[in-house]
Amino acid sequence: MPASRPEVLNFLETRRSRPAKTLAAPAPDRDSLRKLLTVAARSPDHGKLEPWRFLVLEKEALERLASTLPARGEELGIEPEKIAKSVDEYSRSLLAVAVVACPKPSEKIPEIEQTLSAGAVCMQLLNACLAAGWGANWLTGWACHDRDWRERHLGLGPGEWIAGIIHVGSETSAPPDRPRPDLDAITEWVAS
């Protein structure tokens, strides 16, 4: 029987993202964040291609990004409420990490596996933040899906996109509990 880590299983079973609007100061300092990013980088990566990179967004950068959203949202015809929500997310946040998916040419590793690796990095970073006692949330939103905005304001290259933006800060309150999935409804046993 393999060695059991019940404390890790308990954490994973009970983990909850914290709403970005409930995160407050302080946020992790650079040394603490470096450790969290190191943990995130330990995600599955078939072929060791590292088809992702981190873009650390501190308060000033987040405020600058927030200021770009109203005009771009209006150009795209985004509903004013959605624009306002995105502006609030960026301007309120103290620290965020954009996980940039950047698939590499490979005959062996399909792009979908590289994309899933970038998603795994997001989840690993989110869980690392929560395990370290920080509040964290994984978001994207309409701006992240707009190639022009992310290239112009985040410096992403062609073929790169945002897998997730992980907002990190201190927890101001425990999130309300929510119903968990009913495994009987989502698990299918298949006999050979």
Side-chain angles (χ1 to χ4, degrees), residues 16 18 24 50 63 67-68 77 84-85 99 103 113 118 124 131 136 140 144 163 168-169 187 189:
R16 284 294 309 277
R18 303 310 194 248
E50 294 182 16
E63 288 174 347
S67 73
T68 70
K85 182 179 179 184
V99 177
E113 287 188 22
Q124 186 87 334
T140 54
C144 290
V168 187
T187 302
W189 299 92

Side-chain angles (χ1 to χ4, degrees), residues 5 15 39 114 119 155 173:
R5 299 285 305 274
R15 63 151 300 281
V39 171
Q114 297 183 51
S173 61

Side-chain angles (χ1 to χ4, degrees), residues 34-188:
R34 182 174 292 280
K35 182 172 184 171
L36 297 170
L37 295 174
T38 299
V39 171
R42 297 279 305 174
S43 295
D45 176 14
H46 187 194
K48 297 179 179 57
L49 296 177
E50 294 182 16
W52 38 261
R53 61 184 176 90
F54 300 117
L55 183 58
V56 177
L57 305 169
E58 294 179 319
K59 182 66 176 165
E60 189 175 305
L62 289 159
E63 288 174 347
R64 179 185 56 78
L65 292 171
S67 73
T68 70
L69 296 172
R72 184 60 180 159
E74 192 173 309
E75 285 175 29
L76 294 172
I78 304 295
E79 297 169 20
E81 299 80 27
K82 287 184 179 180
I83 295 170
K85 182 179 179 184
S86 293
V87 168
D88 185 59
E89 286 171 359
Y90 281 85
S91 61
R92 180 189 297 260
S93 190
L94 299 168
L95 176 69
V97 177
V99 177
V100 178
C102 46
K104 309 289 193 288
S106 173
E107 291 183 16
K108 290 185 177 182
I109 316 303
E111 188 171 305
I112 185 63
E113 287 188 22
Q114 297 183 51
T115 299
L116 293 171
S117 180
V121 168
C122 291
M123 191 71 214
Q124 186 87 334
L125 178 55
L126 179 65
N127 280 338
C129 291
L130 296 172
W134 299 103
N137 198 304
W138 174 1
L139 300 172
T140 54
W142 62 267
C144 290
H145 304 293
D146 177 34
R147 185 178 61 184
D148 181 67
W149 184 84
R150 64 183 188 245
E151 287 179 3
R152 188 176 341 156
H153 299 291
L154 293 174
L156 272 61
E160 292 186 327
W161 65 92
I162 302 295
I165 296 184
I166 312 302
H167 295 264
V168 187
S170 294
E171 299 180 48
T172 57
S173 61
D177 200 18
R178 65 177 182 173
R180 294 295 172 181
D182 177 7
L183 287 184
D184 290 332
I186 63 173
T187 302
E188 187 173 322

